[in-house]
Protein backbone atom coordinates (compact mmCIF):
# COMPACT_ATOMS: atom_id res chain seq x y z
CA UNK A 1 0.00 0.00 0.00
CA UNK A 2 2.77 2.46 0.95
CA UNK A 3 4.70 1.65 -2.24
CA UNK A 4 1.55 2.28 -4.25
CA UNK A 5 1.22 5.72 -2.69
CA UNK A 6 4.80 7.00 -2.56
CA UNK A 7 6.53 5.49 -5.59
CA UNK A 8 6.74 8.70 -7.66
CA UNK A 9 7.57 12.38 -7.24
CA UNK A 10 4.39 13.43 -9.04
CA UNK A 11 2.27 11.29 -6.73
CA UNK A 12 3.85 12.86 -3.65
CA UNK A 13 3.13 16.33 -5.06
CA UNK A 14 -0.48 15.36 -5.71
CA UNK A 15 -0.92 13.98 -2.20
CA UNK A 16 0.55 17.17 -0.80
CA UNK A 17 -1.90 19.25 -2.86
CA UNK A 18 -5.02 17.25 -2.01
CA UNK A 19 -4.27 16.66 1.68
CA UNK A 20 -3.61 20.35 2.25
CA UNK A 21 -6.88 21.29 0.53
CA UNK A 22 -9.59 19.00 1.92
CA UNK A 23 -13.02 19.80 0.52
CA UNK A 24 -11.61 21.53 -2.55
CA UNK A 25 -11.99 19.95 -5.99
CA UNK A 26 -9.47 20.53 -8.78
CA UNK A 27 -9.67 19.89 -12.51
CA UNK A 28 -6.71 18.34 -14.35
CA UNK A 29 -5.14 21.42 -15.90
CA UNK A 30 -5.43 23.29 -12.60
CA UNK A 31 -3.70 20.39 -10.86
CA UNK A 32 -0.97 20.37 -13.51
CA UNK A 33 -0.25 24.04 -12.84
CA UNK A 34 -0.26 23.52 -9.07
CA UNK A 35 2.21 20.61 -9.06
CA UNK A 36 4.27 21.80 -12.05
CA UNK A 37 4.42 18.39 -13.73
CA UNK A 38 3.59 17.09 -17.21
CA UNK A 39 -0.11 16.51 -17.79
CA UNK A 40 0.37 12.88 -18.86
CA UNK A 41 2.22 12.13 -15.62
CA UNK A 42 -0.49 13.91 -13.63
CA UNK A 43 -3.27 11.95 -15.35
CA UNK A 44 -1.48 8.66 -14.73
CA UNK A 45 -0.89 9.35 -11.04
CA UNK A 46 -4.43 10.65 -10.54
CA UNK A 47 -5.71 7.36 -11.90
CA UNK A 48 -3.46 5.50 -9.45
CA UNK A 49 -4.68 7.57 -6.49
CA UNK A 50 -8.31 7.05 -7.50
CA UNK A 51 -7.74 3.30 -7.77
CA UNK A 52 -6.18 3.23 -4.29
CA UNK A 53 -9.13 5.22 -2.93
CA UNK A 54 -7.41 8.26 -1.46
CA UNK A 55 -8.75 10.55 -4.23
CA UNK A 56 -12.21 10.56 -5.77
CA UNK A 57 -13.25 11.82 -9.19
CA UNK A 58 -16.53 13.41 -10.22
CA UNK A 59 -17.71 14.93 -13.50
CA UNK A 60 -19.50 18.28 -13.32
CA UNK A 61 -20.49 20.33 -16.38
CA UNK A 62 -18.47 17.98 -18.60
CA UNK A 63 -15.33 18.66 -16.58
CA UNK A 64 -13.64 16.01 -14.42
CA UNK A 65 -12.81 17.16 -10.89
CA UNK A 66 -10.63 15.45 -8.29
CA UNK A 67 -10.50 15.84 -4.52
CA UNK A 68 -9.24 13.94 -1.51
CA UNK A 69 -11.71 11.42 -0.09
CA UNK A 70 -11.87 12.24 3.60
CA UNK A 71 -13.64 8.91 4.18
CA UNK A 72 -10.56 7.01 2.97
CA UNK A 73 -9.43 4.65 5.73
CA UNK A 74 -5.91 6.09 5.92
CA UNK A 75 -6.94 9.73 5.44
CA UNK A 76 -5.98 10.91 8.94
CA UNK A 77 -2.50 9.31 8.98
CA UNK A 78 -1.81 10.68 5.51
CA UNK A 79 -3.04 14.12 6.53
CA UNK A 80 -0.63 14.03 9.47
CA UNK A 81 2.23 13.19 7.12
CA UNK A 82 1.44 15.68 4.37
CA UNK A 83 -0.30 18.62 6.03
CA UNK A 84 2.02 21.62 6.23
CA UNK A 85 3.11 22.03 9.85
CA UNK A 86 5.64 24.77 9.29
CA UNK A 87 6.25 27.64 6.95
CA UNK A 88 9.73 28.59 5.88
CA UNK A 89 10.81 32.19 5.54
CA UNK A 90 14.31 33.38 4.69
CA UNK A 91 15.70 29.93 5.50
CA UNK A 92 14.31 30.21 9.05
CA UNK A 93 11.75 27.67 10.18
CA UNK A 94 8.64 29.23 11.67
CA UNK A 95 6.63 26.76 13.74
CA UNK A 96 2.95 26.86 12.82
CA UNK A 97 1.89 25.30 16.12
CA UNK A 98 3.80 27.96 18.08
CA UNK A 99 2.37 30.84 16.08
CA UNK A 100 -1.15 29.44 16.17
CA UNK A 101 -1.03 29.77 19.96
CA UNK A 102 0.54 33.24 19.88
CA UNK A 103 -1.90 34.62 17.31
CA UNK A 104 -4.83 33.03 19.08
CA UNK A 105 -3.98 35.11 22.15
CA UNK A 106 -4.40 38.51 20.50
CA UNK A 107 -8.21 38.34 20.40
CA UNK A 108 -11.12 36.14 19.37
CA UNK A 109 -9.35 34.77 16.32
CA UNK A 110 -11.26 32.55 13.91
CA UNK A 111 -8.79 32.09 11.04
CA UNK A 112 -5.15 32.83 10.26
CA UNK A 113 -3.29 32.23 7.00
CA UNK A 114 0.43 32.46 6.29
CA UNK A 115 1.45 33.16 2.71
CA UNK A 116 3.86 35.35 0.75
CA UNK A 117 7.28 35.60 2.40
CA UNK A 118 6.34 33.04 5.03
CA UNK A 119 5.78 30.23 2.54
CA UNK A 120 8.42 29.30 -0.03
CA UNK A 121 7.00 29.36 -3.53
CA UNK A 122 4.14 31.72 -2.69
CA UNK A 123 3.61 34.82 -4.82
CA UNK A 124 1.03 36.41 -2.51
CA UNK A 125 1.48 40.09 -1.68
CA UNK A 126 0.01 39.42 1.78
CA UNK A 127 2.12 37.43 4.24
CA UNK A 128 -0.36 37.12 7.10
CA UNK A 129 -4.17 37.26 7.08
CA UNK A 130 -5.89 37.40 10.46
CA UNK A 131 -9.68 37.14 10.79
CA UNK A 132 -11.18 37.70 14.20
CA UNK A 133 -12.84 40.03 16.66
CA UNK A 134 -11.78 42.04 19.70
CA UNK A 135 -8.20 42.13 18.45
CA UNK A 136 -5.79 43.94 20.77
CA UNK A 137 -3.84 46.31 18.54
CA UNK A 138 -0.94 46.37 20.98
CA UNK A 139 -0.74 42.57 21.11
CA UNK A 140 -1.15 42.42 17.34
CA UNK A 141 1.75 44.78 16.67
CA UNK A 142 3.98 43.03 19.21
CA UNK A 143 3.14 39.60 17.81
CA UNK A 144 3.77 40.64 14.21
CA UNK A 145 7.05 42.24 15.29
CA UNK A 146 8.09 38.98 16.95
CA UNK A 147 7.09 37.01 13.84
CA UNK A 148 9.14 39.37 11.68
CA UNK A 149 12.10 38.76 13.98
CA UNK A 150 11.73 34.96 13.77
CA UNK A 151 11.26 35.00 10.01
CA UNK A 152 13.92 37.65 9.34
CA UNK A 153 11.42 39.40 7.09
CA UNK A 154 9.37 42.56 7.00
CA UNK A 155 5.81 41.29 6.74
CA UNK A 156 2.67 42.64 5.08
CA UNK A 157 -0.36 41.67 7.15
CA UNK A 158 -4.07 42.33 7.03
CA UNK A 159 -6.83 41.94 9.60
CA UNK A 160 -10.60 41.80 9.30
CA UNK A 161 -13.52 40.68 11.42
CA UNK A 162 -14.40 37.02 11.15
CA UNK A 163 -17.84 37.84 9.70
CA UNK A 164 -16.19 40.01 7.05
CA UNK A 165 -13.75 37.23 6.21
CA UNK A 166 -16.52 34.63 6.01
CA UNK A 167 -18.59 36.88 3.76
CA UNK A 168 -15.66 37.65 1.47
CA UNK A 169 -14.77 33.98 1.31
CA UNK A 170 -18.35 32.95 0.51
CA UNK A 171 -18.72 35.45 -2.36
CA UNK A 172 -15.23 34.71 -3.72
CA UNK A 173 -13.95 38.21 -2.99
CA UNK A 174 -10.90 38.90 -5.17
CA UNK A 175 -8.64 40.03 -2.31
CA UNK A 176 -9.25 36.89 -0.25
CA UNK A 177 -9.16 34.60 -3.28
CA UNK A 178 -5.81 36.02 -4.38
CA UNK A 179 -4.35 34.93 -1.05
CA UNK A 180 -6.01 31.52 -1.13
CA UNK A 181 -5.06 30.85 -4.74
CA UNK A 182 -1.39 31.45 -3.91
CA UNK A 183 0.59 28.90 -1.94
CA UNK A 184 -0.40 29.29 1.70
CA UNK A 185 -0.57 27.56 5.07
CA UNK A 186 -3.68 27.53 7.26
CA UNK A 187 -2.50 28.36 10.78
CA UNK A 188 -5.94 28.59 12.43
CA UNK A 189 -9.37 27.60 11.12
CA UNK A 190 -11.55 27.27 14.22
CA UNK A 191 -14.87 27.02 12.42
CA UNK A 192 -13.48 24.82 9.62
CA UNK A 193 -14.58 27.49 7.14
CA UNK A 194 -11.66 26.72 4.85
CA UNK A 195 -12.63 23.04 4.76
CA UNK A 196 -16.18 23.63 3.52
CA UNK A 197 -17.06 22.22 0.14
CA UNK A 198 -18.02 24.14 -2.98
CA UNK A 199 -20.83 23.55 -5.40
CA UNK A 200 -20.32 23.84 -9.16
CA UNK A 201 -20.78 27.60 -9.02
CA UNK A 202 -17.92 27.93 -6.51
CA UNK A 203 -20.18 29.02 -3.68
CA UNK A 204 -20.02 27.40 -0.28
CA UNK A 205 -22.43 24.57 0.34
CA UNK A 206 -24.31 24.48 3.60
CA UNK A 207 -23.01 21.89 6.00
CA UNK A 208 -25.49 19.13 6.62
Amino acid sequence: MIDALFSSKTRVKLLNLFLNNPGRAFYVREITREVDEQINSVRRELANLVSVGVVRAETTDNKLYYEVDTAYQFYEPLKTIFTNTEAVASDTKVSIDTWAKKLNSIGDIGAVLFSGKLVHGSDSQVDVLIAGDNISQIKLKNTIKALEHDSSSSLAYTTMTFNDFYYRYSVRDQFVMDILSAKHVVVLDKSSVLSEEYDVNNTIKEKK
Side-chain angles (χ1 to χ4, degrees), residues 106-173:
I106 69 175
D108 300 327
I109 308 302
V112 177
L113 298 175
F114 281 176
S115 192
K117 296 175 185 175
L118 288 174
V119 180
H120 274 318
S122 175
D123 58 1
S124 173
Q125 298 302 305
V126 176
D127 306 308
V128 185
L129 183 151
I130 302 169
D133 302 293
N134 304 315
I135 296 175
S136 166
Q137 293 303 308
I138 293 176
K139 288 183 178 180
L140 171 63
K141 289 179 181 178
N142 288 339
T143 301
I144 293 295
K145 186 178 293 185
L147 181 55
E148 289 179 326
H149 178 269
D150 277 15
S151 64
S152 302
S153 301
S154 176
L155 302 175
Y157 69 93
T158 186
T159 64
M160 60 187 71
T161 67
F162 185 74
N163 282 342
D164 186 25
F165 171 72
Y166 185 85
Y167 173 74
R168 291 187 182 209
Y169 183 60
S170 66
V171 300
R172 311 291 283 174
D173 172 75

Side-chain angles (χ1 to χ4, degrees), residues 41-60:
S41 175
V42 169
R43 289 184 187 278
R44 181 173 59 251
E45 296 304 338
L46 283 171
N48 288 331
L49 291 176
V50 170
S51 69
V52 169
V54 66
V55 170
R56 63 189 181 195
E58 183 175 332
T59 300
T60 303

Side-chain angles (χ1 to χ4, degrees), residues 15-26:
L15 285 168
N16 187 64
L17 174 66
F18 287 119
L19 289 160
N20 280 288
N21 294 278
R24 179 178 172 187
F26 299 86

